[in-house]
Amino acid sequence: MSTSNGEATVGDAKLLTEDEVQKVHDDIVHGDQDVEDEFQDAVDGAATGPDESGNFPVTEEEMKSIRAELACEFPEDYTYLSDAYVKSVASKPYSKDPTIRRPLEYTMEKLTHVMEWRKEAGAPEMEDLIALANGPETAPEAVENPEKLAKAKALATAVNAGSTYWHGLTKDGRPILWIRTNRKPWYPDVTAEVNALILLADAGIRAMPKDVTDFVCLSDSTSPPPPNPTFMINMLKALVRGYPDRLNLLVSAPVGSIIQFVMKLLLPLMPGRLASKVVLLGTDTMTEKLEDILLNGKDDIPTFFGGPVDHDKFYPVEGSCPNRGKGTLKFDYYGMVERLETEVKKFEAAKANAEKQED
């Protein structure tokens, strides 16, 4: 679809001009050199370090130094960053000279920017907000802080759609974030949707196996709503600034006209390393891809991709969900977290047992 002057459009949405792309890029980067480097191809994912993954060693003393500084600057939220993630960030090649490791100052700057973004976005309070939304409106905190209650209810509304949830692991233990685009709202509350992304992303990250630092996203893109550029750009900004190096892979199927438009809109705005992790497939090739990704292969494929697992048993449409507590939360958020934690424990036990047998 296009306008009379040749601009690509879907409904009321249209692609950005070069000036608009640059403006959004600058807003995402916001003067942070570490974010800017994500747009460069200096490292390009190539193995340049001394180990097989292209990373460099980080000493225990360096880890203690980084940890101490984070604890000092962000005492209420510093534990959010696992040792595995901190080491992953610190061990990467330096974008300006891929033959050496990132300087510690650069690593601290990168981690500090993530933590500052979390503070500005209110990330540490999302778990409290969903708990507030799950309780009665007569609770003291709800009565004394009506603005916080309104924010909590908006968050619950975004989560209740059941359009995004964690379920299962990949073969290498990465949590899987599923997206059901047919459940996405046509007229999204952008702030609430970004808050829902933060809530869910943090829940998955907290549950990750010990040595895992990123996740996989699998999207059923059968019937997406009309594209909303403001919503999509804000979600991308949250992913880039708040969760760098967290997305390992995003696979979406099938590829209709709306998804093609969305990718044309977002790809020019994505860091090169992030764009390279997005894979669009047809339904016929998605099954094979899922067999390669999912922990139990074809036995873990959901019904909406032609498999045996009924996700709707755990994550039905909102109209089929009961209230979980005494408030407005219907989505089984706490059950989702519990199921994911159980899967992780099973995975780690199986991994430990396999390593023990090898010894």
Side-chain angles (χ1 to χ4, degrees), residues 235-252:
M235 295 291 273
L236 176 62
K237 182 177 178 180
L239 184 62
V240 172
R241 294 185 59 78
Y243 300 93
D245 303 324
R246 289 296 194 181
L247 179 66
N248 176 269
L249 177 68
L250 187 156
V251 185
S252 174

Side-chain angles (χ1 to χ4, degrees), residues 182-351:
N182 63 325
R183 297 181 179 184
K184 287 291 184 183
W186 278 44
Y187 305 102
D189 178 336
V190 175
T191 299
E193 290 289 335
V194 171
N195 287 345
L197 171 65
I198 294 171
L199 172 75
L200 291 168
D202 283 4
I205 288 168
R206 283 195 301 269
M208 285 178 176
K210 182 179 179 181
D211 296 324
V212 173
T213 62
D214 52 12
F215 60 86
V216 167
C217 183
L218 301 175
S219 176
D220 172 18
S221 305
T222 305
S223 302
N228 183 310
T230 300
F231 163 66
M232 292 184 293
I233 289 170
N234 275 273
M235 295 291 273
L236 176 62
K237 182 177 178 180
L239 184 62
V240 172
R241 294 185 59 78
Y243 300 93
D245 303 324
R246 289 296 194 181
L247 179 66
N248 176 269
L249 177 68
L250 187 156
V251 185
S252 174
V255 185
S257 59
I258 291 180
I259 296 300
Q260 291 178 26
F261 177 86
V262 168
M263 294 312 299
K264 286 180 180 178
L265 175 71
L266 293 182
L267 279 175
L269 306 175
M270 288 185 183
R273 297 174 210 168
L274 179 59
S276 68
K277 298 174 181 179
V278 178
V279 178
L280 305 182
L281 298 175
T283 305
D284 54 339
T285 53
M286 185 63 164
T287 300
E288 183 179 351
K289 188 70 172 178
L290 290 174
E291 287 187 28
D292 292 339
I293 292 173
L294 300 175
L295 179 60
N296 299 304
K298 63 182 180 180
D299 291 339
D300 282 350
I301 297 177
T303 52
F304 50 82
F305 278 128
V309 183
D310 183 11
H311 282 200
D312 292 358
K313 175 183 177 182
F314 303 107
Y315 313 105
V317 294
E318 182 177 356
S320 300
C321 289
N323 275 47
R324 297 294 166 177
K326 297 180 180 180
T328 55
L329 180 64
K330 295 181 178 181
F331 176 79
D332 190 14
Y333 173 76
Y334 297 105
M336 176 197 71
V337 172
E338 184 178 346
R339 283 187 289 274
L340 183 59
E341 290 175 343
T342 298
E343 285 298 310
V344 168
K345 288 178 181 177
K346 289 180 180 178
F347 175 83
E348 291 184 320
K351 182 179 178 181

Side-chain angles (χ1 to χ4, degrees), residues 97-126:
D97 181 0
T99 63
I100 64 173
R101 196 193 70 187
R102 289 170 170 171
L104 277 189
E105 295 79 8
Y106 179 96
T107 293
M108 272 308 307
E109 183 180 12
K110 187 178 183 71
L111 295 173
T112 297
H113 286 154
V114 170
M115 299 304 287
E116 287 175 343
W117 179 89
R118 288 179 57 77
K119 186 176 181 179
E120 292 169 5
E125 73 168 343
M126 295 305 162

